[in-house]
Amino acid sequence: MVKKLSLTEYSAKIPKPGKSDYYVVVLIFRGEETKNFPELKRHSILKRYWSKDFLEAVSEAMAVKECANLTVDGKPLPRQNVKVMYYLNPVDFLKLSYLVSTTFIQEKMNTVLASLRKGDLRGAESVLLRGDVFSLAFSNMAKAVKKHVIMVDVDTKDMEFLSLLEGVPVRFVIETKHGYHLHVYIEDVKDNETLKKLYSINEAFSRKDSFKRLFGEKLLVKWKESLIEVKGTNPLEYVPTDDYPVYELESRDVREFVEFRS
């Protein structure tokens, strides 16, 4: 059975944070309009919110998106291009603190020593005074996790491609503009063969020859790089809304969703 969930229903089913874990929700600027803001990267995180309560962090982010006038250099950002997303796995802030402190100190010391070897005392002083610890923390955010969920990004709504994932236990599907994000929970994976299949499909969509070797001529004319992609350690995911609905697959069988959508 495929069941469409509300945000509240979904929040009750996602991984619970451990003692030092927090849900991290972000406002991110993405879409075609980003080209009009050269100051920003294509996918720029504007603000971050964290809480033990997923809905609390989401509500705060959504309120800012709807009510605040978000600007860059005085130019208002188009609200439709500001998305509310979250790190798929809760972030371990204790581990993050360790990563940041050790990396921060090591990087500082390496740069300071290099400056001192050159006799550049002003350069060494400048490095020590530079307050970049927050940017370092944000850059390590994705690493400070215990992975509960793997995301498979399917950048098409062609059910033939989705069918290639039969046998992979999918618990949730979030529908995006161009395809689907599939959530595979580690606890649902019963053997290494399932993971091997998942990552062999990922490889097949990195090179055409790999795709042909795995599937023969099947769908080769429709092949496109990264059409199916297993995302990194802790990818950002859309917070479910009317624009990004979420579905639960009670049987953990992607064929059920294929039939539901066909």
Side-chain angles (χ1 to χ4, degrees):
M1 180 178 174
V2 177
K3 182 183 178 184
K4 186 177 179 180
L5 301 179
S6 67
L7 176 58
T8 301
E9 289 172 324
Y10 176 71
S11 70
K13 295 172 180 281
I14 60 178
K16 298 296 181 284
K19 187 176 181 180
S20 56
D21 293 342
Y22 290 83
Y23 297 113
V24 180
V25 179
V26 305
L27 287 180
I28 186 168
F29 185 58
R30 60 190 306 172
E32 286 299 315
E33 293 293 329
T34 54
K35 63 179 180 292
N36 298 323
F37 294 84
E39 308 89 340
L40 298 176
K41 296 178 182 177
R42 185 167 175 265
H43 294 157
S44 287
I45 292 178
L46 306 171
K47 294 180 181 293
R48 294 171 175 83
Y49 307 88
W50 50 88
S51 174
K52 289 282 188 183
D53 185 325
F54 180 70
L55 290 178
E56 181 179 274
V58 168
S59 296
E60 191 172 356
M62 286 186 166
V64 171
K65 176 188 172 180
E66 295 304 320
C67 303
N69 293 317
L70 297 169
T71 62
V72 172
D73 288 347
K75 293 165 59 179
L77 297 177
R79 193 166 293 168
Q80 70 272 15
N81 292 105
V82 178
K83 310 297 183 183
V84 181
M85 304 186 77
Y86 75 102
Y87 284 98
L88 192 57
N89 293 281
V91 177
D92 184 339
F93 273 47
L94 188 62
K95 185 176 180 180
L96 182 62
S97 299
Y98 173 78
L99 284 170
V100 170
S101 59
T102 54
T103 306
F104 183 73
I105 292 169
Q106 188 62 55
E107 286 185 2
K108 288 281 187 187
M109 289 307 300
N110 288 343
T111 310
V112 166
L113 287 173
S115 297
L116 290 175
R117 288 191 194 102
K118 298 175 184 176
D120 183 6
L121 297 179
R122 285 187 178 276
E125 183 182 27
S126 174
V127 170
L128 287 171
L129 292 175
R130 196 179 304 139
D132 54 1
V133 67
F134 286 107
S135 63
L136 187 61
F138 296 146
S139 68
N140 281 279
M141 191 80 77
K143 300 176 187 176
V145 304
K146 177 181 178 183
K147 185 183 281 190
H148 299 280
V149 191
I150 299 170
M151 182 204 283
V152 185
D153 184 2
V154 181
D155 197 22
T156 176
K157 294 192 176 181
D158 188 327
M159 290 297 115
E160 284 189 282
F161 284 108
L162 205 56
S163 294
L164 299 178
L165 291 155
E166 288 181 7
V168 176
V170 176
R171 190 179 293 199
F172 298 111
V173 177
I174 290 185
E175 187 170 357
T176 66
K177 184 177 179 181
H178 300 293
Y180 305 99
H181 289 169
L182 313 183
H183 296 183
V184 179
Y185 277 60
I186 300 296
E187 65 188 64
D188 293 336
V189 178
K190 304 303 181 187
D191 53 59
N192 286 334
E193 291 305 310
T194 302
L195 287 178
K196 285 180 183 177
K197 176 176 181 177
L198 184 57
Y199 284 98
S200 66
I201 292 172
N202 184 64
E203 182 187 353
F205 282 92
S206 64
R207 300 205 322 262
K208 250 185 179 180
D209 59 330
S210 299
F211 185 91
K212 186 176 181 180
R213 189 165 56 249
L214 188 62
F215 298 112
E217 297 292 333
K218 183 183 179 183
L219 299 179
L220 194 59
V221 294
K222 296 183 181 180
W223 179 91
K224 182 182 173 185
E225 189 175 7
S226 298
L227 207 59
I228 295 180
E229 182 181 8
V230 178
K231 289 295 189 178
T233 307
N234 199 16
L236 285 169
E237 177 60 282
Y238 292 105
V239 168
T241 61
D242 290 341
D243 292 330
Y244 301 100
V246 60
Y247 302 89
E248 181 180 17
L249 310 188
E250 292 187 352
S251 68
R252 312 288 190 255
D253 189 341
V254 77
R255 287 176 298 182
E256 193 173 45
F257 190 76
V258 171
E259 291 171 7
F260 173 75
R261 272 288 182 239
S262 297

